[in-house]
């Protein structure tokens, strides 16, 4: 920090003078932090075991003749190509993956930093939605969709109840009858 010329008070707070016997420092009340206001309203965390993540990454296949089509992507284990289309099966090649070398590094980095990320996100008050992503795509999508809908409902203010219409007050007229 000294080399950079930066003084970060959060890392090393300034030393306090020793307390005085004539005017002791009042005890500090522990302040419970409220959730910070933020535009960040939901953090979806997809949990997948490391082994499953590696298996999903390694077994991908693509059709080189139809690379722009989303339907041309398959997986040996999780989404195999149709067996009756032998021409397609013959054309499929292993998906090129330029980032495959650092996959283990990224998984390790995430594991190391997960606690810090969770701590940082906790300042915004209950925005974390952990989702088990080891299931099939449709089930994971439904879980994410449910988490989003639940968060939207939590953030939507309740509609005010309509005020009941006031009944018109009846006018009371007092009439004095002449005495006979």
């Amino acid at each position: 920090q000294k080399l950079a010329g930066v003084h970060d008070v959060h890392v090393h707070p300034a030393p306090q003078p020793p307390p005085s016997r004539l005017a002791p420092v009042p005890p500090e009340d522990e302040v419970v932090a409220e959730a910070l206001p933020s535009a960040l309203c939901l953090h979806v965390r997809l949990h997948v075991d490391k082994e499953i993540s590696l298996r999903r990454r390694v077994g991908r296949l693509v059709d080189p003749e139809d690379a722009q089509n989303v339907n041309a992507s398959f997986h040996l284990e999780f989404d195999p190509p149709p067996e009756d289309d032998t021409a397609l099966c013959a054309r499929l090649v292993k998906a090129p993956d330029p980032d495959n070398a650092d996959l283990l590094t990224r998984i390790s980095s995430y594991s190391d930093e997960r606690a810090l990320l969770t701590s940082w996100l906790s300042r915004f008050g209950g925005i974390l939605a952990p989702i088990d992503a080891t299931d099939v795509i449709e089930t994971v999508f439904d879980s994410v969709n449910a988490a989003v809908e639940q968060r939207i409902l939590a953030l939507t203010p309740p509609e005010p109840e309509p005020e009941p219409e006031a009944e018109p007050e009846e006018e009371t007229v007092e009439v004095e009858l002449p005495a006979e």
Side-chain angles (χ1 to χ4, degrees), residues 59-67 69-77 79-96:
R60 296 184 309 147
L61 300 170
V62 293
D63 182 359
E65 292 181 11
D66 197 14
N69 189 352
V70 177
N71 295 329
S73 179
F74 299 97
H75 193 280
L76 288 172
E77 182 179 350
D79 185 21
E83 294 177 6
D84 58 341
D85 192 352
T86 56
L88 173 66
C89 292
R91 284 193 316 260
L92 292 177
V93 295
K94 187 174 180 180

Side-chain angles (χ1 to χ4, degrees), residues 7-180:
H7 180 67
D8 189 355
V9 295
H10 299 291
V11 175
H12 301 289
Q16 298 294 322
S20 168
R21 285 190 278 182
L22 294 175
V25 178
E28 293 184 23
D29 293 334
E30 188 172 318
V31 178
V32 177
E34 293 181 18
L36 296 175
S38 172
L40 183 63
C41 29
L42 181 64
H43 171 78
V44 176
R45 181 176 293 166
L46 300 175
H47 175 73
V48 180
D49 291 333
K50 185 167 101 174
E51 292 78 23
I52 293 175
S53 180
L54 289 171
R55 284 187 5 228
R56 285 181 179 173
R57 182 78 175 252
V58 172
R60 296 184 309 147
L61 300 170
V62 293
D63 182 359
E65 292 181 11
D66 197 14
Q68 299 300 323
N69 189 352
V70 177
N71 295 329
S73 179
F74 299 97
H75 193 280
L76 288 172
E77 182 179 350
F78 301 108
D79 185 21
E83 294 177 6
D84 58 341
D85 192 352
T86 56
L88 173 66
C89 292
R91 284 193 316 260
L92 292 177
V93 295
K94 187 174 180 180
D97 199 355
D99 296 328
N100 201 19
D102 71 343
L103 176 63
L104 290 174
T105 304
R106 288 193 285 163
I107 291 173
S108 176
S109 296
Y110 172 74
S111 297
D112 294 345
E113 302 296 329
R114 182 176 47 209
L116 290 173
L117 179 63
T118 302
S119 172
W120 185 81
L121 288 170
S122 69
R123 301 184 314 171
F124 302 107
I127 63 169
L128 177 63
I131 305 288
D132 179 22
T134 57
D135 215 337
V136 295
I137 293 173
E138 292 80 14
T139 305
V140 174
F141 176 80
D142 291 342
S143 298
V144 171
N145 199 24
V148 170
E149 288 177 356
Q150 182 180 13
R151 188 63 181 164
I152 289 172
L153 286 175
L155 293 175
T156 305
E159 293 184 22
E161 294 182 19
E163 294 181 19
E165 293 183 22
E167 296 181 20
E169 295 182 20
E170 295 181 18
E171 292 183 29
T172 307
V173 178
E174 292 183 24
V175 178
E176 289 185 26
L177 296 175
E180 291 183 29

Side-chain angles (χ1 to χ4, degrees), residues 1-6:
Q1 287 181 353
K2 290 183 181 181
L3 289 176
V6 176

